[in-house]
Amino acid sequence: MSDATLTTAPAASGTDDTDYNRPRRSPFRWLVLLLVTFMLLLTLFPFLLAIVNAIKSGVDYARNGPLSIPTSLDFSALVYFWNLSDFGRKLANSTIISLAVSLLGVLISLLNAYAIGIGRVKGSRIFLVVLLLGIMVPQESIVYPLYYMAKATGLYDSQLAVIIVFAVLQSAFGTYLLTSVLRSFPKEIIEAAEMDGANRWQVLWQVVVPVLRPSLMVVGTFFFIWTWNEFLIPLVMLVSNNNQTVAVAMGLTRGQNMSDPTFQAAASLLGIAPTLIFFLIFQRTLTRGVVVGAVK
């Protein structure tokens, strides 16, 4: 009788041991959650506004304003901008240029960082200072020299000129970032590979690159997004319609005698959507490479 009473007593009390182990949410946590949610909505607001106005007719926009919900779906602005700007070709041009810059910029950054971070070349600090100065130089100050050199070499109005320029410019940041990672690379791993008979190139491609792959993916993703959003240099260097990029095509939405809000929203939506899709695809890669200085 007493055993039955002892065994049934916890059940009768209606409590569970797990209730005492559950972390209690303090009011401060709820405040932080509300603040983060508000910041997320604030960040997504321009994108949501572009979607709402891109599928809204001009009459609906003029009658109800930009913050109203569309009364009907109207894709005429999207279709008009796509056909007017030959957006399919611009999309292909931006993809080719951004991918080429990403691959070439990562390769240049890797070779420079390997020479500075592991090779310990003389004057490496001076090189890093020069690279930092190159990062801080505004593009407006180098447009004319780049234009002149492209004209002199016969590369003006060619995608190759833009690829070379952006790969070199963005590799300055990549070199600085990867050098900070390689400076903390374990020397024991390199010494073990050299004792096994590996030369400098084998150490780079078979030892350093596999460990550095998350950082390289992060740098390449940044290079792709940055190149996609560039406007000034492609505007100056690419004058023919067949070579222009998405960022240049978005300039068609504004003119001296033209201002259509739904047309501009459609252009903004089509221009943002590819980079957003690219970011969502490589979101896990960016998350893994946030702490780029961590080397296993």
Side-chain angles (χ1 to χ4, degrees):
M1 183 68 179
S2 60
D3 295 339
T5 305
L6 292 175
T7 55
T8 57
S13 61
T15 60
D16 192 358
D17 293 339
T18 58
D19 294 338
Y20 296 99
N21 298 327
R22 292 176 183 173
R24 296 182 178 180
R25 296 186 180 274
S26 62
F28 179 74
R29 289 188 176 184
W30 287 110
L31 180 62
V32 172
L33 181 60
L34 291 175
L35 182 61
V36 171
T37 304
F38 174 75
M39 295 299 295
L40 176 62
L41 294 176
L42 191 64
T43 304
L44 294 177
F45 179 75
F47 183 71
L48 297 176
L49 191 63
I51 295 177
V52 169
N53 290 309
I55 59 177
K56 185 185 301 182
S57 64
V59 176
D60 191 2
Y61 181 91
R63 180 180 301 170
N64 300 319
L67 299 179
S68 63
I69 302 299
T71 56
S72 62
L73 297 180
D74 187 358
F75 300 97
S76 60
L78 292 169
V79 175
Y80 180 60
F81 175 75
W82 186 287
N83 296 329
L84 178 65
S85 62
D86 193 8
F87 193 78
R89 183 183 295 273
K90 304 297 189 303
L91 190 63
N93 293 339
S94 291
T95 303
I96 293 173
I97 293 175
S98 299
L99 284 177
V101 170
S102 180
L103 295 175
L104 184 58
V106 168
L107 179 61
I108 297 174
S109 302
L110 175 63
L111 296 178
N112 291 340
Y114 182 67
I116 298 174
I118 294 180
R120 303 292 183 179
V121 297
K122 295 182 179 180
S124 59
R125 293 186 178 180
I126 298 177
F127 292 151
L128 290 177
V129 170
V130 173
L131 291 175
L132 288 176
L133 292 176
I135 296 173
M136 294 183 291
V137 172
Q139 292 185 0
E140 291 80 359
S141 63
I142 61 175
V143 166
Y144 179 74
L146 293 175
Y147 168 81
Y148 181 80
M149 287 188 292
K151 279 284 190 179
T153 56
L155 295 178
Y156 182 70
D157 196 19
S158 67
Q159 297 181 11
L160 180 60
V162 177
I163 292 173
I164 294 174
V165 169
F166 282 138
V168 173
L169 291 177
Q170 296 182 6
S171 64
F173 171 79
T175 300
Y176 176 77
L177 182 63
L178 295 179
T179 299
S180 63
V181 177
L182 291 180
R183 284 189 182 276
S184 60
F185 197 91
K187 296 181 180 179
E188 296 79 7
I189 300 178
I190 300 176
E191 293 175 354
E194 291 176 347
M195 290 179 62
D196 291 338
N199 55 31
R200 291 289 182 89
W201 283 102
Q202 290 174 336
V203 170
L204 172 62
W205 298 111
Q206 298 179 12
V207 178
V208 175
V209 171
V211 177
L212 209 64
R213 186 175 290 112
S215 299
L216 297 178
M217 293 294 293
V218 171
V219 173
T221 304
F222 284 153
F223 286 175
F224 183 92
I225 296 175
W226 292 345
T227 305
W228 187 281
N229 294 327
E230 288 290 346
F231 175 75
L232 179 60
I233 291 179
L235 178 65
V236 175
M237 304 289 286
L238 303 175
V239 293
S240 63
N241 184 60
N242 294 333
N243 292 325
Q244 290 177 350
T245 61
V246 171
V248 177
M250 292 177 65
L252 295 174
T253 61
R254 295 299 299 268
Q256 183 177 0
N257 299 319
M258 179 180 67
S259 179
D260 188 349
T262 58
F263 185 63
Q264 296 172 13
S268 301
L269 179 61
L270 291 177
I272 295 173
T275 54
L276 180 62
I277 295 172
F278 182 84
F279 175 79
L280 293 176
I281 293 174
F282 290 95
Q283 180 183 9
R284 186 171 299 177
T285 301
L286 291 173
T287 304
R288 288 199 304 262
V290 168
V291 186
V292 294
V295 179
K296 296 182 181 179

